[in-house]
């Protein structure tokens, strides 16, 4: 695991397994002292005499396993760190800017192709939550934090000022652009499933990309939540949205387009993603998110990941510190456009980098405060339905705590759509219980047993469960995130008790350890930075402004196509262009699948040979 990840990072726990082997399951194996597992729950008279170091177990550890974290997954996650980024940059020269700016056909004739060496293109993507965390830490605007990140990754004072080859990242992409695509596709998926609930609907245990999810549809952008569902509650899989996350969608877009336009193989494109959550490292390691699933004829080759490495906000500061770069002293201004290398595809260049275009009317922005800090999936769906139902309004009602919110779209007191937002595993567990299918009685002629509810005094048996399932079945869509407070509170974000944060908030201090109250205030400051990005950008014209009704091709759009500041028709046109230019079906590009993971706890121990074979197969892609 990452060196900075420990049990102290957690504020929301799931009960661990009885025999958690994470602290002693490492490679290479240590010399066995005895047959007793020092971390296994046992009786007092059988306690081991030796004093073992405290176990460092995180929420990622608990979710990234089938009962306990596997050696293979531990290695995969530990390889994704700031040190791996530096190793990649120092591993080979980057493809020269002159070649990237030149004519691709000419460059291929000159040897700039498959056989031109091991030079690579280095690209990066940055999530808005990471920018918000850094903005709150150093007291700058979210936009300025984004400029500082770009200066580090791509600027002359950043990573390219040192290292073996002086490499930096050629393109730094804001994941907000692909988040817009996720919102449009997600709304389309919701409306399609609602209009045809019985057609090709998933059944219990299914999570294939070719099936439509069952209602209520649950978001799938949070990898911690996905690991939990796959390994503990497979009955949830038919409800999961098949849509890829913004991280995954950005990764496959960069790999497919650059490999096609530049005539190079995907393994020569190295992509790092800056994310707020350690679980995003596990998402990048999923076998479904590799070139095997979109590139024909690659079954015999080692899989190449769409995202090669994921680092967090704290690891980004460690990256700068390792190179001797003072991150807070980096310029808080955009890079000089004269040195900018245009993206090979002009249409996608305008879509991915609208801030560099003369026409800045379509600048991607963070979700508004009413949408929450995790992308605004449910909010966009509600806005989409509201647009198609004039006169309707959205009503909100807080649940049992601040991380549970119910949304209802109403017109003339008639409920048109109902959804909810569930953040944090305590709340997720309640949601999962509500969606648990009835269990058949083992007794002949017995009644079906309703699960998922707690019975109140005087209430008939099964009544609470029936009421709970009825309430959850009313939801059409549920936005689910593992972290309490949403993605701005991800495990990789800068915390209030980090030294840099404490010194920034209270200069001259740093010895006192902040408590929960201080952490809550800090999270509010990060949320403020995240939502303030909306006012930092130029004002977006609304649907009544005719200037927004012209797409990239100069054609007028219907006013109803502008939803939540996003042009639905423009996003769909970009997606269609992406599919056409790469020759890959759109469904392969934007959808993924999920599968039930069986527990291996209690089964025969895997031998050293099988363990090495497993690791060799999984490490192949990207490293």
């Amino acid at each position: 695991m990452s060196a900075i990840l420990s049990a102290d990072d957690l504020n929301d726990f799931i009960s661990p397994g009885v025999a958690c082997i994470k602290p002693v399951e490492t490679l290479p194996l240590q010399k066995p002292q005895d047959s007793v597992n020092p971390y296994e729950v046992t009786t007092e008279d059988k306690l081991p005499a030796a004093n073992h170091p405290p176990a460092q177990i995180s929420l990622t550890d608990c979710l990234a396993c089938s009962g306990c974290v596997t050696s293979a997954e531990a290695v995969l996650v530990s390889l994704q760190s700031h040190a791996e980024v530096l190793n990649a940059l120092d591993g080979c020269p980057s493809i020269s800017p002159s070649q990237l700016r030149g004519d691709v056909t000419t460059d291929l004739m000159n040897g700039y192709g498959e056989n031109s060496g091991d030079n690579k293109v280095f690209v990066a993507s940055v999530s808005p939550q990471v920018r918000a965390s850094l903005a709150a830490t150093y007291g700058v605007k979210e936009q300025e934090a984004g400029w500082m990140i770009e200066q580090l990754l791509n600027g002359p004072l950043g990573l390219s000022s040192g290292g073996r080859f002086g490499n930096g990242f050629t393109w730094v992409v804001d994941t907000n652009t692909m988040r817009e695509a996720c919102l449009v596709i997600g709304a389309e998926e919701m409306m399609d499933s609602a209009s045809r609930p019985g057609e090709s609907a998933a059944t219990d245990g299914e999570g294939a990309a070719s099936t439509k999810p069952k209602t209520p549809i649950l978001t799938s952008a949070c990898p911690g939540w996905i690991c939990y569902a796959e390994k503990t509650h497979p009955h949830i899989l038919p409800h999961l949205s098949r849509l890829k996350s913004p991280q995954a969608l950005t990764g496959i877009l960069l790999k497919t387009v650059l490999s096609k336009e530049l005539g190079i193989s995907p393994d020569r494109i190295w992509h790092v993603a800056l994310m707020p959550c350690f679980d995003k490292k596990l998402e990048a390691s999923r076998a479904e998110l590799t070139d095997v699933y979109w590139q024909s004829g690659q079954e015999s080759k080692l899989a190449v990941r769409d995202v090669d490495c994921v680092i967090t906000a704290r690891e980004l500061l460690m990256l700068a510190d390792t190179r001797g770069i003072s991150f807070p002293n980096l310029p808080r201004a955009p890079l000089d456009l004269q040195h900018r290398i245009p993206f090979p595809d002009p249409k996608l260049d305008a879509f991915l980098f609208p801030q560099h275009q003369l026409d800045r009317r379509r600048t991607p922005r963070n979700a508004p405060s009413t949408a929450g800090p995790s992308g605004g999936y449910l909010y966009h769906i509600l806005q989409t339905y509201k647009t198609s139902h004039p006169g309707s309004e959205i009503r909100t009602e807080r649940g049992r705590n601040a991380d549970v919110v119910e949304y209802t779209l109403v017109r003339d007191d008639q409920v048109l759509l109902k959804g909810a937002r569930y953040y944090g595993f305590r709340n997720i567990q309640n949601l999962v219980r509500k969606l648990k299918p009835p269990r058949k009685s083992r007794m002949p002629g017995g009644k079906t047993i309703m699960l998922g509810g707690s019975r109140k005094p005087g209430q008939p048996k099964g009544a609470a469960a029936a009421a709970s399932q009825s309430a959850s079945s009313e939801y059409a869509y549920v936005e689910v995130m593992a972290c309490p407070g949403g993605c701005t509170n991800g495990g990789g974000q800068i915390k209030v008790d980090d030294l840099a944060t404490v010194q920034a908030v209270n200069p001259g201090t740093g010895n006192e350890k902040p408590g929960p109250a201080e952490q809550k205030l800090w999270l509010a400051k990060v949320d403020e930075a995240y939502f303030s990005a909306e006012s930092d950008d130029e004002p977006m014209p609304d649907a009544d402004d005719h200037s927004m009704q012209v797409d990239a091709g100069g054609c007028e759009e219907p006013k109803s196509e502008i939803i939540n500041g996003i042009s639905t028709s423009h996003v769909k046109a970009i997606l269609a262009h992406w599919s056409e230019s790469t020759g890959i079906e759109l469904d392969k590009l934007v959808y993924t699948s999920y599968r039930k993971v069986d527990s291996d706890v209690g089964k025969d121990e895997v031998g050293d040979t099988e363990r090495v074979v497993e690791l060799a197969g999984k490490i192949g892609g990207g490293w």
Side-chain angles (χ1 to χ4, degrees):
M1 302 298 294
S2 174
I4 62 175
L5 182 61
S6 66
D8 293 336
D9 297 325
L10 305 180
N11 58 4
D12 201 7
F13 292 91
I14 297 177
S15 298
V18 174
C20 180
I21 64 171
K22 168 66 177 70
V24 296
E25 191 76 343
T26 58
L27 287 179
L29 294 175
Q30 302 294 325
K31 295 181 179 180
Q33 297 179 355
D34 50 53
S35 59
V36 179
N37 186 343
Y39 296 103
E40 184 169 340
V41 177
T42 182
T43 56
E44 200 169 315
D45 59 328
K46 295 181 180 180
L47 288 175
N51 293 324
H52 295 274
Q56 301 288 308
I57 305 174
S58 72
L59 183 59
T60 301
D61 296 326
C62 296
L63 296 179
C65 66
S66 52
C68 56
V69 72
T70 64
S71 299
E73 288 172 312
V75 171
L76 289 174
V77 174
S78 65
L79 283 175
Q80 300 187 53
S81 65
H82 70 286
E84 176 63 17
V85 176
L86 295 178
N87 290 338
L89 291 174
D90 292 342
C92 65
S94 61
I95 297 177
S96 66
S98 60
Q99 290 176 312
L100 294 175
R101 286 194 181 99
D103 179 71
V104 175
T105 304
T106 304
D107 290 333
L108 289 174
M109 293 176 61
N110 293 334
Y112 172 50
E114 290 289 343
N115 301 318
S116 61
D118 296 328
N119 296 19
K120 293 184 178 181
V121 177
F122 296 96
V123 291
S125 57
V126 184
S127 74
Q129 290 84 2
V130 170
R131 294 195 299 267
S133 183
L134 294 170
T137 300
Y138 297 110
V140 299
K141 295 181 179 180
E142 191 258 8
Q143 186 182 54
E144 292 177 329
W147 290 336
M148 295 165 68
I149 294 173
E150 194 170 5
Q151 292 281 358
L152 173 66
L153 300 179
N154 192 22
L157 302 178
L159 299 175
S160 60
S161 62
R164 181 182 177 188
F165 298 105
N167 289 335
F169 290 86
T170 305
W171 292 289
V172 180
V173 179
D174 182 357
T175 59
N176 263 340
T177 55
M178 297 312 293
R179 180 185 67 88
E180 291 185 356
C182 287
L183 296 180
V184 172
I185 303 171
E188 193 174 56
E189 179 187 52
M190 173 66 227
M191 298 182 74
D192 188 41
S193 296
S195 61
R196 295 181 291 179
E199 183 178 339
S200 301
T203 57
D204 290 345
E206 291 183 351
S210 59
T211 60
K212 293 182 174 61
K214 295 169 59 177
T215 55
I217 297 178
L218 311 178
T219 53
S220 57
C222 175
W225 150 242
I226 295 300
C227 286
Y228 177 62
E230 287 183 327
K231 299 183 178 184
T232 61
H233 296 288
H235 69 274
I236 291 295
L237 301 186
H239 295 276
L240 292 177
S241 168
R242 305 301 187 256
L243 179 63
K244 293 180 181 179
S245 70
Q247 169 185 300
L249 214 56
T250 303
I252 191 172
L253 181 139
L254 292 173
K255 291 278 177 118
T256 54
V257 174
L258 290 177
S259 62
K260 177 74 173 181
E261 295 291 332
L262 301 179
I264 59 178
S265 58
D267 61 345
R268 296 180 59 195
I269 303 164
W270 202 85
H271 174 208
V272 63
L274 276 60
M275 292 290 145
C277 179
F278 286 106
D279 289 338
K280 284 292 184 180
K281 299 171 185 279
L282 291 173
E283 177 185 317
S285 301
R286 290 182 69 91
E288 296 86 355
L289 303 179
T290 63
D291 68 330
V292 172
Y293 282 78
W294 53 265
Q295 191 170 211
S296 59
Q298 300 300 309
E299 291 77 5
S300 60
K301 294 184 178 181
L302 289 176
V304 177
R305 293 182 178 85
D306 297 333
V307 179
D308 297 282
C309 183
V310 175
I311 61 173
T312 63
R314 282 187 281 176
E315 290 173 313
L316 179 71
L317 298 183
M318 297 171 66
L319 176 67
D321 184 65
T322 304
R323 276 286 174 89
I325 300 170
S326 175
F327 185 84
N329 291 329
L330 289 171
R332 301 173 185 178
L335 292 170
D336 190 349
L337 293 182
Q338 294 181 354
H339 302 288
R340 175 181 176 267
I341 300 175
F343 202 68
D345 188 302
K347 285 188 177 180
L348 291 176
D349 182 57
F351 179 73
L352 294 174
F353 307 99
Q355 69 273 21
H356 298 317
Q357 312 301 318
L358 295 178
D359 182 1
R360 295 190 55 187
R361 290 173 298 182
R362 198 209 63 80
T363 300
R365 302 182 302 171
N366 297 350
S369 57
T370 52
S374 303
Y377 291 86
L378 174 60
Y379 178 79
H380 187 81
I381 288 174
L382 290 169
Q383 290 292 332
T384 302
Y385 272 83
K386 183 180 178 181
T387 302
S388 59
H389 295 83
S392 59
E393 61 174 341
I394 301 174
R395 298 176 183 175
T396 61
E397 181 179 356
R398 173 174 163 163
R400 59 188 301 171
N401 54 58
D403 282 331
V404 178
V405 183
E406 291 188 350
Y407 295 81
T408 308
L409 184 66
V410 180
R411 184 174 63 180
D412 298 330
D413 293 331
Q414 179 184 1
V415 177
L416 303 176
L417 186 72
K418 191 171 184 179
R421 198 170 72 195
Y422 277 72
Y423 290 171
F425 268 102
R426 289 191 182 95
N427 298 319
I428 290 176
Q429 287 173 324
N430 292 331
L431 174 66
V432 168
R433 281 193 290 266
K434 292 177 182 179
L435 295 175
K436 205 163 190 178
R439 178 166 56 88
K440 294 182 180 180
S441 175
R442 296 181 180 178
M443 300 297 293
K447 296 181 179 180
T448 300
I449 302 174
M450 302 293 292
L451 304 175
S454 57
R455 184 163 59 96
K456 297 179 180 179
Q459 194 174 25
K461 290 184 178 180
S468 177
Q469 285 196 335
S470 176
S472 63
S473 62
E474 293 178 358
Y475 296 147
Y477 194 90
V478 184
E479 184 176 301
V480 184
M481 299 293 164
C483 294
C487 293
T488 50
N489 190 33
Q493 297 282 77
I494 300 171
K495 305 298 182 182
V496 69
D497 53 353
D498 290 331
L499 180 61
T501 304
V502 174
Q503 290 179 342
V505 177
N506 300 307
T509 65
N511 297 325
E512 299 178 2
K513 186 176 179 63
E518 288 78 10
Q519 176 61 28
K520 186 176 181 180
L521 292 174
W522 172 249
L523 180 58
K525 186 176 181 181
V526 177
D527 286 342
E528 181 183 359
Y530 176 82
F531 295 126
S532 67
E534 184 177 1
S535 59
D536 292 343
D537 295 327
E538 296 179 4
M540 289 283 289
D542 55 27
D544 295 330
D545 190 339
H546 183 72
S547 64
M548 279 296 295
Q549 313 310 317
V550 180
D551 63 11
C555 302
E556 291 193 3
E557 309 176 57
K559 295 180 180 180
S560 61
E561 291 295 323
I562 308 298
I563 301 174
N564 192 24
I566 300 173
S567 171
T568 302
S569 60
H570 178 63
V571 170
K572 289 182 178 180
I574 289 294
L575 293 174
H577 170 74
W578 174 23
S579 175
E580 182 181 357
S581 62
T582 56
I584 305 172
E585 296 178 8
L586 186 60
D587 286 356
K588 287 186 177 181
L589 296 172
V590 301
Y591 295 118
T592 187
S593 59
Y594 312 99
R595 79 280 186 191
K596 176 183 176 181
V597 178
D598 294 320
S599 174
D600 55 8
V601 174
K603 298 181 180 179
D604 294 336
E605 186 175 353
V606 179
D608 292 339
T609 302
E610 291 80 1
R611 192 189 312 277
V612 172
V613 171
E614 181 185 16
L615 284 174
K618 289 192 174 183
I619 293 177
W623 292 310

